[in-house]
């Protein structure tokens, strides 16, 4: 299995994402979309805005540790190949694998390396609907504000003036969701993470098909207002966008990363529109590289690391234990802070920090 440090030496000419974790500008080398996945003329794309800086999400990145994870993700050659297929073909990337193998982190790795701005994350639950991902409209809040402004506190004119009772601008009450924001006409693709799609209602994958094929969607609340531009809020913090004629239409199809724990089957029509990647649990070499990237290196830590990595893999191989990569990182961190120095401490690491997820 090839790690990202090795991938740097074997990067192929057609690769846009290399898996090295080092930011670069190769997204500008991404060839034009195939005719059947083109949503805007090349001349139009050039005039659209670039994704916002990842620094706009720095508070969230710090809280979740995503920035460090993105920089240190150990992508193997197959993962790099399939990410690039999704980029070239403008198709969603469906990633399956056990919990904790890095499915979600791959999306952050791509966004970090290619400078595609903050990842737009849509966490899925059994109650999620297509509308949740596209936009939300607070009609009650708008009516409430219109009532206050029309009832004794003029909004835009003198008391008794009809203009004083006009509803406030709709854009303050309409916010595009992660999918809706990803489908705005950006200069280059945004990264949309639809996390744990297998938790969704059975209809959601099919509901996504039309949006994935057309690259656009209609907002009825805006369409009813007729032609013209409306400024609305987006899933990017403190950033707005202009929607014309009530239709959001992409210029470049976003890199849609869907993750699944392989807990359900998906419709054939959905699968054939996706590039499918199955991430396997890492081997010893890849685990060691991941640990070194996150925790650094040192002679004094080598023994504990070797023992714990070996124990981690043995439990997976022989006992069928479900163990996540972050459990190993937590165990190694505490081992290096002194918990490995005593037998009771070593028992805590083995029995608590490395307790299998599928153990009751």
């Amino acid at each position: 299995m090839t790690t990202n440090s090795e991938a740097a030496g074997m990067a192929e000419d057609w690769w846009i994402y290399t898996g090295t974790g080092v930011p670069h500008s190769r997204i500008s080398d991404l060839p034009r979309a195939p005719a059947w996945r083109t949503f805007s003329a090349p001349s139009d794309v050039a005039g659209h805005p670039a994704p916002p800086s990842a620094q706009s999400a720095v508070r969230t990145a710090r809280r979740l540790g995503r920035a460090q994870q993105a920089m240190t993700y150990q992508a193997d050659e197959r993962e790099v190949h399939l990410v690039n297929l999704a980029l070239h073909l403008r198709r969603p990337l469906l990633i399956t694998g056990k919990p904790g193998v890095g499915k979600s982190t791959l999306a952050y790795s791509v966004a970090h390396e290619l400078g595609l701005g903050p990842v737009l994350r849509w966490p899925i639950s059994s109650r999620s609907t297509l509308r949740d991902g596209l936009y939300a409209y607070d009609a009650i809040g708008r009516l409430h504000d219109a009532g206050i402004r029309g009832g004794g506190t003029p909004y835009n004119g003198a008391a008794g003036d009809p203009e004083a009772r006009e509803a406030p601008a709709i854009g303050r009450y309409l916010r595009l969701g992660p999918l809706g924001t990803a489908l705005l006409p950006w200069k280059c693709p945004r990264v949309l993470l639809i996390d744990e799609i297998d938790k969704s209602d059975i209809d959601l994958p099919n509901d996504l098909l039309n949006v994935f094929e057309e690259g656009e969607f209609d907002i009825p609340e805006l369409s009813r207002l007729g032609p013209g531009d409306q400024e609305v809020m987006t899933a990017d913090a403190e950033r707005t966008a202009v929607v014309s004629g009530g239709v959001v239409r992409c210029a470049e199809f976003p890199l849609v990363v869907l993750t699944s724990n392989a807990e359900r089957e998906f419709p054939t029509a959905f699968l054939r529109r996706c590039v499918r990647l199955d991430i396997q649990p890492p081997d010893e070499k890849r685990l060691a590289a991941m640990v070194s990237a996150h925790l650094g290196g040192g002679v004094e830590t080598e023994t504990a690391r070797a023992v714990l990595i070996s124990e981690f893999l043995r439990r997976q191989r022989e006992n069928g234990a479900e163990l996540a990569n972050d459990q190993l990182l937590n165990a190694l961190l505490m081992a290096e802070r002194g918990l490995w120095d005593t037998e009771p401490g070593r028992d805590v690491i083995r029995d608590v920090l490395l307790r299998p997820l599928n153990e009751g």
Side-chain angles (χ1 to χ4, degrees):
M1 187 173 290
T2 305
T3 60
N4 60 2
S5 59
E6 295 169 323
M10 61 174 62
E12 300 187 17
D13 291 341
W14 67 281
W15 284 2
I16 303 300
Y17 169 69
T18 63
T20 61
V22 179
H24 56 75
S25 59
R26 289 202 64 186
I27 190 63
S28 61
D29 297 330
L30 182 65
R32 291 176 56 183
W36 56 91
R37 297 296 293 161
T38 298
F39 301 99
S40 182
S43 58
D44 295 336
V45 174
H48 291 307
S53 167
Q55 295 301 315
S56 63
V58 69
R59 186 182 306 171
T60 301
R62 285 176 181 162
R63 178 166 55 85
L64 300 178
R66 289 298 190 186
Q68 179 68 14
Q69 289 178 325
M71 290 186 288
T72 58
Y73 183 78
Q74 300 292 309
D76 66 29
E77 187 176 9
R78 178 171 175 76
E79 292 169 15
V80 174
H81 268 300
L82 270 62
V83 167
N84 281 290
L85 281 178
L87 284 168
H88 279 264
L89 298 175
R90 274 64 168 188
R91 288 295 184 184
L93 179 66
L94 175 61
I95 306 178
T96 57
K98 297 292 185 182
V101 297
K103 301 185 296 295
S104 300
T105 308
L106 179 55
Y108 289 89
S109 173
V110 176
H112 168 76
E113 182 181 315
L114 300 184
L116 300 180
V119 171
L120 297 161
R121 181 173 178 265
W122 181 16
I124 300 299
S125 72
S126 59
R127 298 180 300 278
S128 298
T129 66
L130 178 62
R131 168 76 177 264
D132 297 330
L134 293 177
Y135 72 98
Y137 174 49
D138 184 9
I140 294 177
R142 189 176 183 223
L143 285 172
H144 178 265
D145 288 353
I148 292 176
R149 287 169 173 162
T153 305
Y155 169 52
N156 186 25
D161 186 337
E163 288 185 350
R165 291 172 174 79
E166 290 182 356
I170 192 172
R172 292 177 50 193
Y173 304 89
L174 196 149
R175 182 181 296 276
L176 299 181
L179 175 56
T181 302
L183 289 171
L184 286 168
W186 300 102
K187 186 175 183 179
C188 54
R190 292 296 299 273
V191 177
L192 169 67
L193 172 61
I194 303 180
D195 216 3
E196 299 193 331
I197 184 70
D198 48 353
K199 288 184 177 179
S200 73
D201 178 87
I202 192 171
D203 293 327
L204 182 59
N206 280 327
D207 291 342
L208 287 166
L209 291 182
N210 186 61
V211 176
F212 286 170
E213 285 302 296
E214 301 302 323
E216 67 179 53
F217 67 97
D218 179 75
I219 302 177
E221 292 84 352
L222 299 185
S223 298
R224 285 195 289 268
L225 300 177
D229 296 340
Q230 296 289 337
E231 186 176 11
V232 301
M233 297 183 290
T234 71
D236 290 314
E238 301 179 359
R239 191 179 180 107
T240 61
V242 174
V243 177
S244 299
V247 177
V248 175
R249 180 181 296 110
C250 72
E252 283 283 356
F253 190 74
L255 176 63
V256 180
V257 177
L258 306 108
T259 69
S260 166
N261 293 328
E263 295 177 352
R264 63 176 279 191
E265 295 183 356
F266 296 103
T268 302
F270 178 79
L271 293 176
R272 74 178 179 85
R273 288 170 170 83
C274 297
V275 175
R276 298 158 66 183
L277 167 63
D278 184 29
I279 295 184
Q280 297 296 321
D283 59 16
E284 185 170 2
K285 182 179 180 181
R286 189 175 179 188
L287 277 177
M290 178 196 72
V291 168
S292 179
H294 279 279
L295 300 179
V299 175
E300 68 280 2
T301 65
E302 289 182 358
T303 300
R305 287 187 183 182
V307 170
L308 284 173
I309 289 175
S310 177
E311 174 73 7
F312 183 85
L313 292 171
R314 185 192 66 78
R315 291 188 179 195
Q316 288 182 324
R317 184 175 55 251
E318 297 178 7
N319 302 333
E322 291 185 7
L323 291 166
N325 295 347
D326 54 359
Q327 288 180 271
L328 176 62
L329 288 174
N330 290 338
L332 288 169
L333 177 66
M334 295 312 302
E336 293 173 10
R337 290 183 177 180
L339 200 57
W340 192 254
D341 297 342
T342 65
E343 189 61 37
R346 290 193 285 272
D347 288 341
V348 168
I349 289 176
R350 293 190 178 101
D351 298 339
V352 178
L353 297 181
L354 292 182
R355 181 176 179 175
L357 300 175
N358 56 343
E359 182 179 286

